């Protein structure tokens, strides 16, 4: 072994634990333990031996030097930093058997450990294209079992279950974790999954994973004290996804900022697993492009309490939907959750008429029912209402082009919008909606200040509809083109306040209250 005169120490920065350099870190180069950079040799034993020795001696830095190193499943242990040097490629094995029998293990795992890190300018590559070929070969030969791969799905392709598609990184119940500067690519399932972890710092990482479905860029599951900054995600599923799988757990005290996202699903998403809670989440300066679903999706449908969310400075181009906020009840065995105290400000989204995720190897599934462009929405359910949402400085530009021949919803039949109480939450879940710009239902205490809605093409629907809302404050709504009258429809709305409404033509004709 060698000694490196910079080491890991814990520093409290802005309320988050960060790992920085200090004196006398021991260096464990994996080549010292027999690892070979030929892109062929399986180096699992050598890499694990280096990790084990580093941990047993009190910790240190395990270095993957420049070159191509194949590995199977490795386990990161306390006080160990896995450092992938610039020019180094840690390549996941393309042989399914190397991920264990039964459910496939993630490539890099850690459970109940502390003070761990993955750093460096190198690349962790799951080799998804080659691995899926091996999986299909074994499935066709009957040497690998799978319950789903021949089941029809929206993509009309054979998709092996997640049990046969390994994640790349999965840390559970870990404390004081740092992921920094690394590139992570070509997985077959969730790229990185952090579950019940605390004091997690993720900075300046790059995720490129469009090989297959369920490629969430990052999943934070019931994690606390997380700082995710300065990172890029290009994922064939949700980009940044917060989940709560534990009824007694929560995603709490999370800060996300300065990230760029492309996704064949939603860019920033809360849910869909939503059993415990989402609390004290701050999001700043997110850039989204070529994304199929929502720029922001805030959803609790399994009983979770979702509250105290502050999101600002979101820009999205060529994105299928600006915003969806949904309180539902998918889990019929538990009471509906709570969704309240949400602030979203300084948002600009351009919504195209076509499918915005074209170019992915496997694009998101088409909505099979006839529909026009979907509006943004805030929706609760009867008896469980969304509460206290403030939207400020919001601009949504729609391409428009709606046709009655494609889909039609008359404003005299608002009660026919389906509730879809137990359904999977999604901006398209209701089918055709009666508004082209914004739709609100079963909500209390909604404040909208300085919202601009534009529609370039034709549309037969009102721009804005609120249905069954208590306490609606609209101040500074600017709808620049009248496509149909009324432009704003308030149905079963009480306690409304309308100020500074800008609509061409007669206010009496353009605003309907019923």
């Amino acid at each position: 072994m060698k000694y490196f005169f910079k080491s890991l120490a814990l520093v409290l920065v802005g309320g988050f634990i960060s790992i920085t350099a200090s004196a006398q870190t021991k260096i464990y180069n994996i080549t010292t333990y027999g690892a070979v950079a030929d892109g062929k040799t399986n180096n699992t034993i050598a890499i694990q031996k280096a990790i084990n020795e580093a941990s047993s001696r009190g910790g240190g830095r395990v270095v993957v030097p420049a070159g191509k190193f194949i590995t199977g499943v490795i386990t990161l242990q306390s006080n160990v930093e896995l450092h992938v040097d610039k020019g180094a490629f840690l390549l996941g094995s393309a042989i399914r058997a190397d991920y264990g029998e039964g459910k496939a293990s993630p490539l890099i795992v850690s459970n109940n450990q502390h003070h761990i890190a993955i750093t460096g300018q190198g690349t962790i590559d799951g080799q998804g294209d080659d691995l899926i070929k091996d999986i299909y070969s074994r499935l066709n030969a009957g040497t690998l079992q799978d319950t789903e791969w021949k089941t029809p799905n929206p993509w009309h392709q054979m998709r092996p279950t997640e049990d046969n598609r390994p994640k790349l990184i999965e840390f559970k119940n870990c404390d004081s974790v740092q992921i920094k500067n690394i590139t992570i690519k070509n997985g077959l399932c969730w790229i990185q999954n952090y579950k019940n972890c605390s004091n997690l710092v993720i900075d300046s990482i790059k995720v490129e994973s469009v090989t297959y479905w369920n490629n969430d860029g990052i999943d934070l599951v019931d994690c606390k004290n997380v700082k995710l900054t300065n990172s890029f995600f290009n994922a064939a599923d949700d980009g940044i996804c917060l989940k709560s799988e534990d009824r007694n757990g929560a995603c709490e005290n999370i800060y996300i900022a300065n990230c760029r996202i492309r996704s064949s699903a939603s860019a920033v998403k809360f849910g869909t697993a939503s059993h415990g809670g989402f609390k004290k989440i701050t999001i700043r300066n997110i850039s989204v492009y070529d994304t199929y679903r929502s720029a922001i999706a805030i959803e609790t449908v399994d009983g979770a309490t979702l509250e105290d969310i502050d999101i600002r400075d979101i820009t999205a181009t060529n994105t299928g939907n600006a915003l969806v906020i949904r309180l539902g009840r998918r889990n019929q065995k538990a009471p509906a959750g709570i969704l309240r105290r949400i602030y979203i400000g300084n948002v600009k989204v351009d919504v195209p008429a076509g499918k915005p995720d074209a170019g992915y190897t496997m694009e998101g599934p088409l909505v099979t029912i006839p529909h026009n462009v979907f509006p943004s929405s805030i929706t609760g359910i009867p008896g469980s209402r969304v509460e206290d949402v403030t939207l400020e400085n919001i601009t949504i530009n729609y391409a428009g082009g709606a046709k009655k021949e494609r889909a039609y919803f008359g404003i005299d039949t608002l009660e026919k919008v389906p509730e879809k109480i137990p359904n999977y939450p999604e901006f398209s879940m209701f089918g055709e909606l009666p508004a082209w710009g914004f739709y609100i239902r079963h909500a209390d205490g909604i404040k909208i200040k300085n919202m601009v809605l534009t529609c370039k093409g034709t549309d037969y629907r009102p721009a804005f509809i609120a249905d069954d809302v208590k306490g609606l404050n609209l101040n500074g709504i600017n709808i620049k083109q009248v496509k149909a009258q009324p432009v704003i429809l308030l149905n079963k709305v009480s306690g409304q306040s309308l100020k500074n409404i800008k609509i061409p033509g007669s206010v009496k004709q353009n605003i309907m209250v019923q």
Side-chain angles (χ1 to χ4, degrees), residues 328-442:
R329 193 183 173 202
R330 181 173 61 174
N331 183 359
Q332 296 293 296
K333 296 181 180 180
I338 296 170
L339 199 161
R340 62 190 177 193
R341 299 198 295 271
I342 312 296
Y343 178 90
I344 301 175
N346 303 330
V347 174
K348 183 177 180 180
V349 182
D350 292 327
V351 179
K355 196 166 184 290
D357 67 334
Y360 275 97
T361 303
M362 296 179 179
E363 299 173 10
L366 288 169
V367 179
T368 56
I369 60 171
H371 67 89
N372 293 294
V373 174
F374 295 108
S376 289
S377 61
I378 300 172
T379 59
I381 58 177
S384 296
R385 304 167 70 85
V386 175
E387 303 175 69
D388 192 9
V389 175
T390 298
L391 307 179
E392 187 171 13
N393 301 328
I394 310 291
T395 297
I396 309 175
N397 300 315
Y398 292 91
K403 298 179 179 179
K404 290 184 178 180
E405 295 79 9
R406 182 184 300 126
Y408 178 73
F409 214 117
I411 61 173
D412 57 344
T413 56
L414 296 182
E415 72 279 359
K416 291 186 178 180
V417 177
E419 294 288 353
K420 299 292 183 75
I421 292 172
N423 283 48
Y424 185 93
E426 192 61 84
F427 74 95
S428 58
M429 64 184 297
F430 302 109
E432 181 76 347
L433 280 169
W436 62 258
F438 217 101
Y439 175 78
I440 306 172
R441 183 171 65 171
H442 306 319

Side-chain angles (χ1 to χ4, degrees), residues 281-343:
I281 314 295
T282 300
I283 299 176
R284 296 286 187 272
N285 192 29
I286 304 297
S287 175
V288 180
Y289 72 102
D290 295 355
T291 288
Y292 177 34
R293 295 177 178 166
S294 301
I296 306 166
I298 300 175
E299 303 158 349
T300 174
V301 294
D302 302 310
T305 294
L306 196 158
E307 62 187 5
D308 300 322
I309 313 300
D310 190 319
I311 301 174
R312 306 180 192 224
D313 304 318
I314 310 295
T315 302
T317 58
N318 196 36
T319 298
N321 175 257
L323 170 68
V324 58
I325 297 176
R326 172 63 173 170
L327 169 60
R329 193 183 173 202
R330 181 173 61 174
N331 183 359
Q332 296 293 296
K333 296 181 180 180
I338 296 170
L339 199 161
R340 62 190 177 193
R341 299 198 295 271
I342 312 296
Y343 178 90

Side-chain angles (χ1 to χ4, degrees), residues 102-380:
K103 184 176 181 178
S105 169
L107 180 66
I108 303 174
V109 298
S110 192
N111 195 4
N112 291 303
Q113 303 300 298
H114 59 85
H115 304 112
I116 57 177
I118 301 176
T119 66
Q121 301 287 341
T123 299
I124 298 171
D125 188 337
Q127 299 199 105
D129 287 328
D130 292 332
L131 178 56
I132 195 63
K133 291 176 183 177
D134 182 71
I135 291 171
Y136 278 134
S137 176
R138 294 169 189 269
L139 289 172
N140 286 315
T143 58
L144 181 65
Q145 301 303 310
D146 193 290
T147 58
E148 295 182 11
W149 76 297
K150 289 188 177 181
T151 302
N153 59 65
W155 294 270
H156 303 291
Q157 300 205 23
M158 297 184 296
R159 177 173 66 167
T161 177
E162 292 183 21
D163 288 352
N164 277 319
R165 293 183 279 118
K167 300 177 179 72
L168 293 187
I169 299 171
E170 185 169 72
F171 292 171
K172 297 180 179 180
N173 310 305
C174 293
D175 179 61
S176 300
V177 178
Q178 177 170 296
I179 312 293
K180 189 172 182 180
N181 296 324
I182 203 77
T183 294
I184 313 170
K185 61 193 299 185
N186 300 330
L188 290 182
C189 197
W190 295 2
I191 303 309
Q192 43 190 333
N193 184 35
Y194 304 98
K195 186 173 181 178
N196 298 323
C197 293
S198 57
N199 299 314
L200 175 60
V201 176
I202 303 167
D203 182 64
S204 301
I205 69 169
K206 182 179 181 180
V207 175
E208 290 269 12
S209 197
V210 300
T211 306
Y212 217 60
W213 308 289
N214 303 120
N215 278 185
D216 287 0
I218 185 169
D219 290 271
L220 302 172
V221 184
D222 294 311
C223 289
K224 293 178 174 61
N225 303 330
V226 179
K227 187 175 182 181
L228 166 58
T229 53
N230 307 314
S231 295
F232 172 79
F233 299 90
N234 181 13
D237 209 319
D238 299 316
I240 298 174
C241 191
L242 282 62
K243 297 179 182 289
S244 179
E245 296 177 349
D246 182 352
R247 177 67 60 192
N248 298 312
C251 281
E252 187 169 0
N253 192 27
I254 294 176
Y255 178 81
I256 300 170
N258 305 323
C259 293
R260 182 166 168 78
I261 304 169
R262 176 185 182 232
S263 167
S264 69
S266 291
V268 177
K269 181 178 179 181
F270 295 65
T272 51
S274 49
H275 297 276
F278 304 85
K279 303 178 180 181
K280 299 179 182 178
I281 314 295
T282 300
I283 299 176
R284 296 286 187 272
N285 192 29
I286 304 297
S287 175
V288 180
Y289 72 102
D290 295 355
T291 288
Y292 177 34
R293 295 177 178 166
S294 301
I296 306 166
I298 300 175
E299 303 158 349
T300 174
V301 294
D302 302 310
T305 294
L306 196 158
E307 62 187 5
D308 300 322
I309 313 300
D310 190 319
I311 301 174
R312 306 180 192 224
D313 304 318
I314 310 295
T315 302
T317 58
N318 196 36
T319 298
N321 175 257
L323 170 68
V324 58
I325 297 176
R326 172 63 173 170
L327 169 60
R329 193 183 173 202
R330 181 173 61 174
N331 183 359
Q332 296 293 296
K333 296 181 180 180
I338 296 170
L339 199 161
R340 62 190 177 193
R341 299 198 295 271
I342 312 296
Y343 178 90
I344 301 175
N346 303 330
V347 174
K348 183 177 180 180
V349 182
D350 292 327
V351 179
K355 196 166 184 290
D357 67 334
Y360 275 97
T361 303
M362 296 179 179
E363 299 173 10
L366 288 169
V367 179
T368 56
I369 60 171
H371 67 89
N372 293 294
V373 174
F374 295 108
S376 289
S377 61
I378 300 172
T379 59

Side-chain angles (χ1 to χ4, degrees), residues 1-2 4 6 8 25-33 35 43-56 59-65 74-85 88 90 116-120 182:
M1 75 189 70
K2 296 180 180 179
F4 181 69
K6 287 186 178 179
L8 299 181
T25 292
K26 296 176 182 178
I27 298 298
Y28 301 82
N29 192 309
I30 63 171
T31 58
T32 302
Y33 298 85
N43 296 289
T44 307
I45 294 175
I47 298 171
Q48 192 63 58
K49 188 175 180 180
I51 293 171
N52 293 348
E53 184 165 336
S55 184
S56 68
R61 174 180 287 178
V62 173
V63 174
V64 181
I74 56 175
T75 302
L76 197 57
Q77 299 181 13
S78 293
N79 302 310
V80 174
E81 172 193 6
L82 179 63
H83 184 85
V84 186
D85 271 345
L90 190 60
I116 57 177
I118 301 176
T119 66
I182 203 77

